[in-house]
Amino acid sequence: METGALDELREKEYPALATHTYLDFTAAGLYASSQITRHFEFLRQHLLGNPHSTNPSSSLATEYVARARTAVLRFFNASPDEWEVIFAGNASLALKLIGESYPFGPGDRFLLTFDNHNSVNGIREFARARGATATYVPVVLPEMRVDESDLSRNLETARSGGNNLFAYPAQSNFSGVQHPLEWIATAREQGWDVLLDAAAFTATNRLDLSRWKPDFVVQSFYKIFGYPTGIGCLIARKTALAKLQRPWFSGGTITVASVQGDRYYLAEGPSAFEDGTLDFLAMPAIEIGLQHIESIGMDAIHERVRHLTGYLLEKLLALKQTNGKPLVRLYGPPTTERRGGIVTFNFYGADGGAVDHRKVEELANKANISLRTGCFCNPGGGEVALGITGTELSSCFRQPEHEAHLTIDDFRLCIDGKSTGAVRVSLGMVSNTQDVDRFIEFAKGFIGA
Ligand SMILES: Cc1ncc(COP(=O)(O)O)c(C=O)c1O
């Protein structure tokens, strides 16, 4: 597939990239100049008021919220008969909506992969507080995929007649692994509601909800098209949404609430889940952002990122330290098969030890390269990659001085010199060969170090 149009697009629409090597697309996508121009032009020409009324400015805002919902459904090929879009501040808040509303009860099950963002991990606290069990399925080195037989055994443990929630990321924000979407149907057939975290997936992959039917999907829009920040969504199947029980009511979520009558009635559909006033001025920018992606085409974006990821992997894995050993240790698949544009690794020095990821970040900053180091809010991925065991972690957390507080420096001391983080390079729709070449030159600086 021809992806050369993306080079022209970068030149014209992303001028800030002329002087910067941006390799942090999984943390945040970038916006095109035309997205902000179109949005500001719209705001200049229209009067938008708080949506919860029938006055003209309010009605216009309501109309544009509805247009944004329709645009999201269309983008994911999700029929409005089957799916609802609920706007939330970001993917994490969409996940919190599920955590606090899913009807976990004693004996119910929450199953999740080691490889998950903390905003999914955090749901275990809601589950356990209500007497459900939380169980993790490990990922296995070197590719950091789930052992399918292990997953099958765990999926067999759904509680008959109970509430069972299975959560996993469509793409790992740690290793770039794309976990099979086929799990959705398998898990649902065995009595699980499936929560698909699509936050690291949808910027470079098509998610067709007419084909894949999880119960809940979450994501943040800035990861797909950079602007605006502050809006994410939960896309839920209507039948699954009906199962959720909100723990409170607030402005915007009710039809009627009474002080003296001490009752409230939740609104129908998405409104019941959207607390307070939506970011209504930013809403038109969602439709603009989606149109921008559609004008380029997700297939072209996917192909561009796949190609560059292959190029990066090939170059990086070929580098050797002066002791003849590979310069990097990769955490994830070494080819482009069933993986996205996230490449995570540590550099190894001539003495055979890992180079501290903080040092790598410091040097990258000086070279005007934006990459990310640490565990990327994915502790399960980090623990597996870095070989930190459950026993080590428990003995660290059990120390009396760590009862209430644990700083990252205390944690480093605790796990006894093991590396506490890795280096992540992530590519996106307007990455180019030059970005990868610049990074490879930077990487060569660790040869002999
Ligand atoms: C896989 C995954 N899930 C969830 C999130 C949380 O997204 P947000 O911080 O926008 O809420 C991220 C963010 O990096 C992510 O990569």
Side-chain angles (χ1 to χ4, degrees), residues 26-27 90-93 95 117 119-120 169 171-173 197-200 220 222-223 376 424:
T26 295
N90 49 37
S92 301
L93 287 169
L95 288 160
H117 192 274
S119 302
V120 176
Q171 177 167 308
S172 168
N173 74 323
D197 177 359
S220 286
Y222 69 87
K223 290 193 189 286
F376 329 116
R424 183 180 80 183

Side-chain angles (χ1 to χ4, degrees), residues 50 52 69 246 249-256 265-278:
N50 190 313
H52 299 131
R69 274 192 231 285
R246 289 226 69 193
F249 65 92
S250 65
T253 66
I254 41 102
T255 53
V256 174
Y265 297 85
L266 274 181
E268 296 279 316
S271 299
F273 292 85
E274 291 172 343
D275 293 328
T277 303
L278 287 172

Side-chain angles (χ1 to χ4, degrees), residues 146-339:
V146 171
D147 173 7
E148 297 270 346
S149 55
D150 196 4
L151 179 66
S152 298
R153 269 193 304 279
N154 275 287
L155 288 176
E156 281 164 18
T157 64
R159 181 166 164 251
S160 169
N163 294 305
N164 307 291
L165 183 63
F166 171 46
Y168 74 98
Q171 177 167 308
S172 168
N173 74 323
F174 189 96
S175 64
V177 160
Q178 291 181 344
H179 298 293
L181 294 175
E182 286 77 5
W183 290 351
I184 296 167
T186 315
R188 289 191 64 216
E189 275 157 22
Q190 295 183 64
W192 297 87
D193 295 316
V194 178
L195 160 54
L196 187 73
D197 177 359
F201 183 78
T202 43
T204 54
N205 299 277
R206 193 176 286 288
L207 179 63
D208 182 343
L209 292 179
S210 72
R211 174 162 182 221
W212 309 107
K213 306 213 175 210
D215 295 276
F216 309 106
V217 181
V218 297
Q219 71 201 311
S220 286
F221 290 107
Y222 69 87
K223 290 193 189 286
I224 310 180
F225 41 77
Y227 174 87
T229 48
I231 305 185
C233 73
L234 162 62
I235 310 178
R237 286 194 312 105
K238 287 185 176 176
T239 45
L241 199 61
K243 200 169 168 176
L244 299 184
Q245 297 162 1
R246 289 226 69 193
W248 82 320
F249 65 92
S250 65
T253 66
I254 41 102
T255 53
V256 174
S258 160
V259 169
Q260 295 182 81
D262 199 16
R263 281 287 302 270
Y264 70 94
Y265 297 85
L266 274 181
E268 296 279 316
S271 299
F273 292 85
E274 291 172 343
D275 293 328
T277 303
L278 287 172
D279 191 344
F280 60 91
L281 291 183
M283 262 323 146
I286 298 296
E287 193 181 347
I288 292 169
L290 291 171
Q291 282 169 357
H292 177 63
I293 299 294
E294 274 160 358
S295 72
I296 303 158
M298 187 51 89
D299 294 340
I301 293 171
H302 177 86
E303 184 49 27
R304 159 63 64 114
V305 170
R306 192 193 65 76
H307 173 78
L308 280 179
T309 305
Y311 179 63
L312 169 62
L313 284 167
E314 193 186 304
K315 292 262 175 198
L316 190 62
L317 297 178
L319 297 178
K320 293 273 187 288
Q321 187 46 275
T322 47
N323 59 12
K325 301 216 167 109
L327 181 66
V328 303
R329 176 160 180 224
L330 178 74
Y331 308 118
T335 70
T336 56
E337 209 186 317
R338 292 183 294 139
R339 63 121 69 236

Side-chain angles (χ1 to χ4, degrees), residues 392-412:
E392 279 171 300
L393 291 162
S394 305
S395 77
C396 174
F397 299 150
R398 269 204 304 268
Q399 289 173 27
E401 65 273 28
H402 300 157
E403 183 62 35
H405 299 287
L406 182 69
T407 66
I408 186 71
D409 287 331
D410 293 337
F411 183 58
R412 263 190 201 103

